[in-house]
Every structure is written in structure tokens, then in C-alpha cells.
Amino acid sequence: MKIQKNQIYTVRITDLGADGEGIGHLEELCTAQDGKEGANGYTLFVKDALIGDVVRARIVKAKKGYAYARLEEILTPSPDRVEAPCPYARQCGGCQLQALSYEKQLAFKDRKVKNNLVRIGGFSPEFIERIMEPPTGMDPTPGLGAPFRYRNKAQFPVGRGRDGRLITGFYAGRTHSIIENRDCLLGVKENETVLNTVLSFAQEKGIDAYDEKTKQGLLRHVLIRKGFATGQIMVCLVLNGPRLPEEEVLADRLFAAVPGMTSFSVNINREATNVILGEKTRLIRGKERIEDQIGGLTFSISPRSFYQVNPVQTERIYAQALEYAGLTGRETVWDLYCGIGTISLFLARKAKDVYGVEIVPEAIDDAKKNAERNGISNAHFYVGKAEEVLPQKYEAEGISADVIVVDPPRKGCDEACLSTMVRMRPERIVYVSCDSATLARDLKYLAGNGYEVVKGRAIDNFPGGVHVETVVLLSKGEIDSKKVRVEFSLEDMDMSGFQKGATYEQIKAYVLEHTGLKVSSLYISQIKRKCGLDMGQNYNLSKKEDAKVPQCPPKKEAAIMKALKYFQMI
Ligand code: SAH
């Protein structure tokens, strides 16, 4: 039987993918509408389905070993399912995990990080279990069962509804159609007041929304930020043009309606791209920046600077980074990808000197102001790419580092940056990551170059969504790489800690779990060889000259290929 679009299957969801989608296998199929021959091991990805659900799902796109399917009906809900407090949870792309109990959300994220460290980082599961500390979650919002209202920043696109009214809300999934909602439950209450004021003003003055298709219209986005500790609010309207008609009138209304209103500006973005903010920002009323406080430090934030969106968890992330940095007041510390210098200033209070590096010039301006504002004189900042500034400073000026902290964007660190870090031989490296896949890749590099992964912890700063931060401590160790290798070989016997991709045992376990088939190392090595993968032992060589080596049957070959793909080895 061929699996095709629009067929409906009943499937038990047994796992969640990296984007929170439910994963089920048709070998555990309860009933297929037209029989289940040939469906063994076929994987379905079902958006909005959760582990433990039994669902009816309609095939949307069928591929050779897997298909994307749409949730049609939940036949038996998972015991971990909760009522999503937000009525738009399923339509809006923002909160993929809202229907999962918060406890299970946290467990999912912890597992996601660990899986990536094993699969992509090449560390053994036992090692990762041992070094990872329990994940740090967030307290639930009273009455809602999970944390909400934690975001200090929101960017609402403006568009036109079917009836011609100006609307705002969130893009549905990965589209440009707007789900109307002025009060996202993740954001602050003031968002709604700001949006009501801006939209009624625009409606009254005949200001048109920017149209993604025709690229016409003025008003693109409303950006709102709030300093949780100070109550200060910043509103920035993103325009497809230089000015807004009667800007002063809107300024009057915003300052009258919104408590804490501190900064009102417009940002000009005439580019037909998905990037929200343009280069130029013009202040209309109030101050250019708002202030917030974290951990006793005051930060000033401009519209274009990066600032962590969940202040409660951010404080925990920074505290964890500081603890792992193990500072005594004597160290020279580098804070790469420093943004507005938040982590740098946390570290500076406990270090001899801190050097921050960041690519956005405005953020470095903010970082310098922040240092001054907090009376910190031992933090120094450079504009530029970490992968350029660090090697330059190291080669030209012979700078040193006792501790290096990195907090890169999702794509992780550039290899030029990692290789310089390794050459500088700091005692400790603290890696703060917002994407555990690139974290795992970079840890593999560092572990392969003499650094020992000592401990780590996932910290949930996006409750309801799939993202998670991870903080990891690496140490130069006393006898460097030798010590690391001994530790791994004793623990795992098979040196899995440094093997490329998954071990034979991991592949066997995966195949068994997903298809019920037992495969031998010989078969795995045959398929790896077929795929051009480098292998240690050659299981294909027979001890006897003319002995016949059994060949992997096609069904097992397909199962092994699936495992290799799963472990991202091919
Ligand atoms: N540590 C900061 C910022 C982390 S976000 C905080 O906690 O607030 C990552 C930062 O890296 C962003 O500010 C981004 O502008 C910056 N960045 C991106 N690519 C970079 C690069 N190649 N070199 C230096 N900084 C970079």
C-alpha cells in the first residue's frame, strides 16, 4: 500500500520532534483505513498532537519513509494534555506546547537538549545524563497552570481584516496571514492599550497598513517593550516611509493612555524583506531608551538592541553563567556576543577585567553607557564579529583570557572563533546557548580540542514554546584531552564520546525501538560503508579467505538508513 495525501490514519503519538510536533509510527498503527501492509516503521509528523495522544491524522505530504499529517481528531487524549489557556494556541505559530502540562514541557526541553548533545555532539547518553543538572523552569502564573505574561517585548504586524478594518495579531504558522489578537497571553497587559490607541488613531486618520503582497501601505509593525523592574514602556512603529501623519497627536494619546509610557519613536523600513526593523529610528517623544534592572544592575535599551525577552529567567541564566565562570576577582574574562553588555557587567563585578564583543554598534553604545550607568570601570567593549575581533586581538596584541563566556545567536559560534578560543587556552569556557543543536556541534569541536564538558543545565525562558536556553561549563582540565579520553573509555568502553555520530549500540537500539528489527554491527558497517562513512573496525573482512559474508537484507538496510538519518550522520 502506498501512503498518499489525504489518507487518514489512526496513530499513537510516541515522541515530540524538535518543533513540538507529535511523532508516531505506523507500525504501532491501530487501524489504517485501507490496511497496514508495508507500513511498518513509517513515521508520521503530526502538528498539534502530543505524546500519549491517539489521533486520527490526515496525510498532507508523503515522503519515502515519513509523512507530514494534520491532526483531524484526538481519539484518546494524552494524560499530559491540558486546556490551552489561549484560544489562538493552535492557529498562532507562537506556542507549540501550550496544550502540554508545564511539567512535561520542561521534561521535553530537557530531553531535547540531551538528545542533541548525544546525537550531534557525539557524547554518550550516560555521560550527558551524568553531567546535566536538573532543568530550571519558571513558576506558573496563578490560575493558568503554566507561566504566562513573561515576555517584555512584542512585535505586532499590522494588516487589514476581511471587512477592511485595520487589524493586528500574529502571523499564523509560517504564513503572512494575521490571526487577530491584541492581548497575547505571553505579553504584558499594556500591549492591548497601546494597540487599541495606535489602531484607532490609524483608522481615524486613514493610515493604511503595509500589504505584504503589494508592498504598499505605511504601517508595518508595532514594537512594544517594557522594563519589568521599572515599568517603563517603549513603543516604536515600523513604517514603510519617513513619517506618520500627525505623529504628535498619537504621541499625546499614547502618553495619556499608557501607564509607564517613556519612549515613542518610529523606525523606517522600506525593504521588502522579513526583517522587522530598518536601520533608522527617529524619536518622537520621551526618551530614546527605556531602562530595566536585572540582578541589581540597570540596563538601558534602545529599540534595535538585543535584550533577553524573559527577565525572570534571564536573571537565572546570568546567575548560572556567573556561577560556572567561578570568578574570584582576579580573572581576565571575555564575553563574546555580548549584546548590550548584560552578562559582561554581571561578570565584571567579580572579575579583574571583562572584554565584551558584539556586532551591532548601537548595542555596544548601550553596553558602554550601561557600564558607566552602573559605575563599572573594568568592562571594555569592542564592535565587530567575534570571529574577527578575537583572533585579531589575540594575534596582534597577545591578549589572554582566564575565562571565556559565549552567548551566540542560533547559528552558534563560527569555527574561527572556536579555534581562537582553544588556542587562548582559558581555564574555563561558559557556553550560553539558545539552540542546543548548534551548541552540541560546538561542544563537539571544543571537546575534540582538549576541553572537558563539566556540567550544564537547561533553563526554560520560553514556556509554551519549544525554545530553551542551555548553559554549559567546559574546563581545560589538568591533563587536558588525555584525561577526557580516559574518562570516556572507562565509562562507555566503546569511546562513543568522540565517535562521529551515533555508536553501533545507539544505532541498534534505535532500529530495534523503531522497527522491532535486530541488526548486527556487520550490517551497520555495510550500510555505513555504502554511505561513504568512515569506520573504525571493518566488519566486512572475514577471517577466512573465502568465507561468505552475509549481506544486509533490504528491509534492515532501510531501517539502518533511517537511523543514520536520525542521527544526522547522512
Ligand atoms: N549576551 C547578550 C546577547 C546574546 S544574543 C544577552 O544576553 O543579552 C546574541 C548577540 O550576538 C546579539 O546581540 C547579536 O547582535 C550578536 N551577534 C551576532 N553575530 C555576531 C558575531 N558574529 N559576532 C559578535 N556578535 C554577534
Side-chain angles (χ1 to χ4, degrees):
M1 180 204 59
K2 198 163 179 288
I3 289 169
Q4 281 170 333
K5 192 170 168 177
N6 281 327
Q7 287 173 338
I8 294 182
Y9 289 95
T10 298
V11 66
R12 181 181 302 280
I13 303 298
T14 53
D15 203 357
L16 287 185
D19 292 328
E21 69 283 14
I23 300 178
H25 298 283
L26 289 191
E27 80 249 3
E28 288 166 321
L29 192 85
C30 304
T31 48
Q33 71 180 9
D34 51 0
K36 65 171 198 175
E37 288 157 70
N40 274 354
Y42 196 85
T43 305
L44 293 192
F45 295 100
V46 191
K47 193 175 158 293
D48 301 315
L50 297 176
I51 294 186
D53 282 342
V54 177
V55 302
R56 272 161 43 83
R58 181 186 292 275
I59 304 290
V60 177
K61 197 172 186 185
K63 300 270 188 182
K64 202 146 174 259
Y66 62 93
Y68 297 100
R70 197 172 49 228
L71 177 61
E72 289 280 312
E73 190 187 352
I74 300 170
L75 297 176
T76 316
S78 160
D80 303 322
R81 224 172 225 291
V82 295
E83 181 86 37
C86 170
Y88 310 103
R90 265 187 74 177
Q91 292 153 281
C92 155
C95 289
Q96 303 85 339
L97 297 179
Q98 236 191 65
L100 188 61
S101 72
Y102 186 60
E103 191 194 336
K104 296 290 172 178
Q105 285 184 28
L106 199 58
F108 161 74
K109 294 184 186 190
D110 190 45
R111 192 155 39 81
K112 170 172 149 171
V113 170
K114 287 174 176 164
N115 284 349
N116 278 338
L117 293 175
V118 171
R119 232 187 290 156
I120 303 169
F123 301 99
S124 76
E126 298 76 19
F127 175 74
I128 292 303
E129 279 306 326
R130 185 153 49 81
I131 59 133
M132 288 300 285
E133 306 193 74
T136 304
M138 200 178 173
D139 291 337
T141 305
L144 294 178
F148 286 93
R149 303 259 181 235
Y150 59 78
R151 277 186 71 102
N152 59 13
K153 174 182 164 184
Q155 305 179 111
F156 293 86
V158 182
R160 276 209 181 271
R162 285 212 189 96
D163 55 2
R165 262 179 329 118
L166 284 181
I167 60 165
T168 183
F170 291 92
Y171 291 130
R174 289 164 194 208
T175 70
H176 271 139
S177 67
I178 296 173
I179 310 282
E180 192 171 4
N181 177 11
R182 297 186 188 186
D183 183 26
C184 165
L185 275 182
L186 298 190
V188 297
K189 265 289 186 203
E190 289 90 334
N191 288 342
E192 194 175 10
T193 318
V194 170
L195 294 171
N196 288 343
T197 310
V198 171
L199 291 189
S200 64
F201 169 84
Q203 197 81 47
E204 184 187 317
K205 305 291 175 195
I207 296 167
D208 212 352
Y210 178 74
D211 183 330
E212 290 288 346
K213 286 196 197 91
T214 62
K215 314 293 176 204
Q216 300 295 311
L218 184 64
L219 192 50
R220 295 181 76 146
H221 274 87
V222 183
L223 165 71
I224 307 167
R225 265 177 162 167
K226 178 179 180 180
F228 272 41
T230 58
Q232 296 180 4
I233 301 259
M234 164 187 283
V235 176
C236 178
L237 302 187
V238 184
L239 305 178
N240 174 36
R243 47 189 317 114
L244 190 72
E246 301 185 56
E247 311 176 319
E248 292 296 330
V249 177
L250 179 56
D252 287 343
R253 291 189 192 172
L254 281 171
F255 275 79
V258 185
M261 189 69 203
T262 303
S263 168
F264 174 40
S265 57
V266 292
N267 173 275
I268 293 104
N269 182 5
R270 310 189 84 152
E271 303 292 321
T273 65
N274 282 340
V275 179
I276 294 179
L277 287 173
E279 301 266 311
K280 246 183 84 188
T281 306
R282 183 165 50 83
L283 183 70
I284 296 176
R285 185 160 314 163
K287 298 184 180 150
E288 272 180 13
R289 299 170 157 85
I290 57 165
E291 289 191 334
D292 193 18
Q293 281 143 9
I294 300 183
L297 291 167
T298 302
F299 298 105
S300 119
I301 309 144
S302 56
R304 264 170 56 91
S305 294
F306 177 90
Y307 185 63
Q308 296 278 359
V309 296
N310 180 336
V312 171
Q313 294 301 86
T314 298
E315 183 160 353
R316 295 177 172 159
I317 294 167
Y318 292 172
Q320 186 65 76
L322 185 65
E323 184 200 312
Y324 283 173
L327 302 179
T328 63
R330 292 190 296 272
E331 293 80 3
T332 299
V333 184
W334 283 76
D335 176 22
L336 307 178
Y337 312 88
C338 70
I340 61 170
T342 40
I343 296 181
S344 318
L345 299 188
F346 256 70
L347 300 167
R349 296 190 291 190
K350 300 261 167 69
K352 180 157 118 331
D353 283 297
V354 176
Y355 298 90
V357 183
E358 159 65 44
I359 198 169
V360 175
E362 288 96 323
I364 288 291
D365 288 345
D366 286 354
K368 288 178 178 165
K369 286 201 179 75
N370 286 331
E372 215 176 287
R373 173 83 176 68
N374 290 286
I376 291 176
S377 56
N378 61 339
H380 322 275
F381 296 98
Y382 302 109
V383 179
K385 293 185 178 169
E387 61 273 25
E388 289 172 8
V389 174
L390 196 66
Q392 246 167 38
K393 295 276 163 199
Y394 178 59
E395 258 113 54
E397 298 170 28
I399 51 117
S400 65
D402 299 306
V403 177
I404 299 181
V405 178
V406 297
D407 183 9
R410 294 225 178 110
K411 67 174 197 269
C413 295
D414 194 281
E415 200 171 316
C417 179
L418 293 174
S419 72
T420 312
M421 284 161 60
V422 165
R423 276 184 289 140
M424 286 169 77
R425 307 293 297 144
E427 283 299 323
R428 288 177 292 287
I429 295 173
V430 179
Y431 198 129
V432 182
S433 159
C434 55
D435 183 336
S436 54
T438 54
L439 167 73
R441 179 201 66 200
D442 292 350
L443 291 187
K444 183 174 188 172
Y445 179 95
L446 294 169
N449 284 279
Y451 275 83
E452 180 183 358
V453 177
V454 181
K455 49 189 166 180
R457 191 195 292 275
I459 301 180
D460 184 21
N461 59 342
F462 292 109
V466 290
H467 293 296
V468 60
E469 294 270 324
T470 314
V471 187
V472 172
L473 168 64
L474 296 106
S475 154
K476 190 169 72 167
E478 269 159 41
I479 32 175
D480 294 347
S481 50
K482 217 161 124 206
K483 177 173 164 217
V484 180
R485 242 178 262 129
V486 169
E487 189 175 323
F488 275 119
S489 62
L490 287 176
E491 281 291 317
D492 314 319
M493 302 304 285
D494 59 3
M495 298 285 286
S496 65
F498 286 100
Q499 231 163 18
K500 190 174 179 298
T503 62
Y504 280 76
E505 291 317 310
Q506 286 166 340
I507 294 171
K508 283 179 195 172
Y510 180 92
V511 170
L512 185 65
E513 191 188 325
H514 289 84
T515 62
L517 296 172
K518 284 194 173 161
V519 291
S520 63
S521 298
L522 168 69
Y523 287 166
I524 296 173
S525 84
Q526 284 173 356
I527 306 310
K528 279 180 82 174
R529 210 159 269 272
K530 240 183 175 174
C531 297
L533 291 174
D534 191 22
M535 305 167 338
Q537 193 172 344
N538 188 348
Y539 294 96
N540 289 314
L541 295 179
S542 167
K543 288 174 198 80
K544 279 190 261 149
E545 274 295 288
D546 56 352
K548 249 187 138 183
V549 177
Q551 292 301 308
C552 182
K555 204 168 168 188
K556 292 191 173 181
E557 175 171 344
I560 295 168
M561 290 288 279
K562 207 174 119 195
L564 297 180
K565 274 189 201 138
Y566 175 81
F567 289 113
Q568 302 190 358
M569 294 164 76
I570 52 171

